[in-house]
Amino acid sequence: MLMHGYSIYFVFFAGVLDSNNSLERLLPRYRAAFSSPGFAALARCTPLHMSMDDHEISDNWNSGMPLRGSAERELSRNALAAFKVFQRAHGPGALGPDGHDGRFDCGGAAFISLNTRIHRQRSPIPRLLADAQWTLLENWLAEQQARGNQPKFILSGSVFAPGL
């Protein structure tokens, strides 16, 4: 099962019900999403791979955004750590500059999953991948040429066409 974003929806309650501590805001959302009996049953019998979207941190988040102060830096750091623990741990071995990318084979098909949120930026030059991720993708594609007509999939939690 491929889960590409929206695994949790991390939004604020306009400060009314939110704690000042980002972990106190993050962890209940993860616990609610991943501790349900239905999810536990699914995870026991189905291979899972999850990639990150902006909502694991905040709406429309991307790493190119300027962080406004220590609270946003803390939130980003804790949200990325929670993603690694709750979601990335379900995937294949870690690849790429931050360990958020992965590759695997399943059902006779080859897959590469690229975290297109962590290095995404809208300006000055729009981009989805870091240079090291481009190299990872290019090397994977070159490897796949030797595999013939086997289906190949590039997975992303971001819409990359049309758009950015």
Side-chain angles (χ1 to χ4, degrees):
M1 177 175 194
L2 302 173
M3 298 174 67
H4 290 286
Y6 292 91
S7 298
I8 69 161
Y9 197 79
F10 186 67
V11 294
F12 297 101
F13 298 108
V16 176
L17 300 174
D18 277 333
S19 165
N20 288 332
N21 183 304
S22 63
L23 283 176
E24 289 177 5
R25 295 191 316 252
L26 282 162
L27 295 180
R29 287 163 175 89
Y30 273 106
R31 287 186 188 117
F34 297 127
S35 67
S36 72
F39 183 81
L42 175 71
R44 276 193 301 274
C45 66
T46 306
L48 295 173
H49 174 65
M50 300 180 206
S51 64
M52 188 174 86
D53 190 37
D54 59 330
H55 298 102
E56 278 82 358
I57 298 177
S58 67
D59 194 26
N60 291 319
W61 179 88
N62 67 72
S63 65
M65 292 173 56
L67 297 176
R68 296 179 297 263
S70 62
E72 283 193 10
R73 283 191 295 278
E74 176 195 357
L75 170 61
S76 291
R77 189 173 47 253
N78 287 336
L80 289 170
F83 167 77
K84 285 180 184 178
V85 169
F86 286 96
Q87 295 183 67
R88 183 62 190 97
H90 290 280
L95 300 173
D98 299 299
H100 293 291
D101 307 311
R103 59 183 286 174
F104 58 96
D105 291 334
C106 184
F111 297 81
I112 186 166
S113 176
L114 299 168
N115 185 324
T116 53
R117 241 345 140 160
I118 194 112
H119 297 289
R120 176 181 161 176
Q121 66 183 40
R122 293 188 184 275
S123 65
I125 299 170
R127 69 182 226 179
L128 289 174
L129 301 173
D131 292 341
Q133 289 176 293
W134 278 113
T135 301
L136 181 70
L137 177 59
E138 289 167 355
N139 291 341
W140 181 82
L141 288 169
E143 269 182 47
Q144 298 313 308
Q145 285 182 318
R147 297 179 86 167
N149 291 330
Q150 174 189 27
K152 300 151 188 80
F153 296 91
I154 300 171
L155 308 175
S156 164
S158 296
V159 175
F160 57 90
L164 184 64

